[in-house]
Structure formats: structure tokens, C-alpha cells
Amino acid sequence: MGDLSVNKFLGAALATFLLLMGLNELSGIVFGGGGHHGAHDYANMNEWAESNFDGYRIDIAETKTGASVEEEPVFDLGLALANADWQAGETVLQRQCAVCHSWNEGGAN
């Protein structure tokens, strides 16, 4: 290696770095922005989207029908098990499950 080989390598690395930084600044000028991502303080993502994509937003009118939303009843598993008919369950077990399964000791799965 010659005496200037290290200088050539460092010069090429510096030129590449400066070229990339220049392209970044140029793209910021051409496409807008150019600032840091955290330059604006937004309370939430909705404010950010509203400020950056205002031309694409569509306002949706709220509908007020006056009808209240009915809540579905909560399923009580304990009550369902307390009222269960074990004989009906055994019948279903023998008709549907016993086709493939056996509950005998050492029986087929």
C-alpha cells in the first residue's frame, strides 16, 4: 500500500457520507418536510393524521337515532350446569361421541 492509500479510503468514505446527507436534504426540499420527526408535539395519532393528511380525510357525521343499545344477557355457566339434564347428555354421548371414542379402560381413543 502506498502512503496515500489510507487518505484515499477515508476520502471516499467521507464523500459517500456527504453525498448521502445531501440526498437526504434534497429529498426533504423536494418532497416537503425536511424537519425532524419529533419536531411537532401531538397529543395523539389522530392529531398527527389530521395535520398531515387533511386533504384525504372524510368527516363522518354522527348518527343519533334516539334508540338505546340493548345489552346482551350474560351467560351464566353455573346456572346452565345446575339445570343440565345428565341423561340427555349421556344419550348424546352414546349417539355422537361413541362412534369414535371409547371410555373403557384401555379402549381406543
Side-chain angles (χ1 to χ4, degrees):
M1 283 181 108
D3 294 333
L4 298 177
S5 295
V6 173
N7 286 346
K8 289 178 186 178
F9 175 74
L10 291 176
L14 180 62
T16 303
F17 176 74
L18 290 175
L19 178 68
L20 291 176
M21 292 297 291
L23 287 175
N24 184 28
E25 289 298 317
L26 180 64
S27 67
I29 292 169
V30 171
F31 297 111
H36 298 298
H37 294 290
H40 302 285
D41 292 326
Y42 299 106
N44 53 36
M45 290 299 292
N46 288 330
E47 285 185 13
W48 173 81
E50 190 172 305
S51 67
N52 289 316
F53 302 108
D54 193 41
Y56 299 105
R57 281 190 57 221
I58 298 173
D59 290 330
I60 299 173
E62 292 186 22
T63 58
K64 295 185 180 183
T65 60
S68 63
V69 177
E70 294 182 20
E71 294 184 13
E72 293 183 24
V74 178
F75 178 72
D76 187 4
L77 181 62
L79 182 63
L81 289 175
N83 295 331
D85 183 12
W86 66 271
Q87 291 175 341
E90 188 176 10
T91 304
V92 170
L93 176 81
Q94 291 172 354
R95 288 183 184 165
Q96 295 176 1
C97 302
V99 173
C100 300
H101 302 277
S102 172
W103 286 267
N104 300 330
E105 186 74 30
N109 289 334

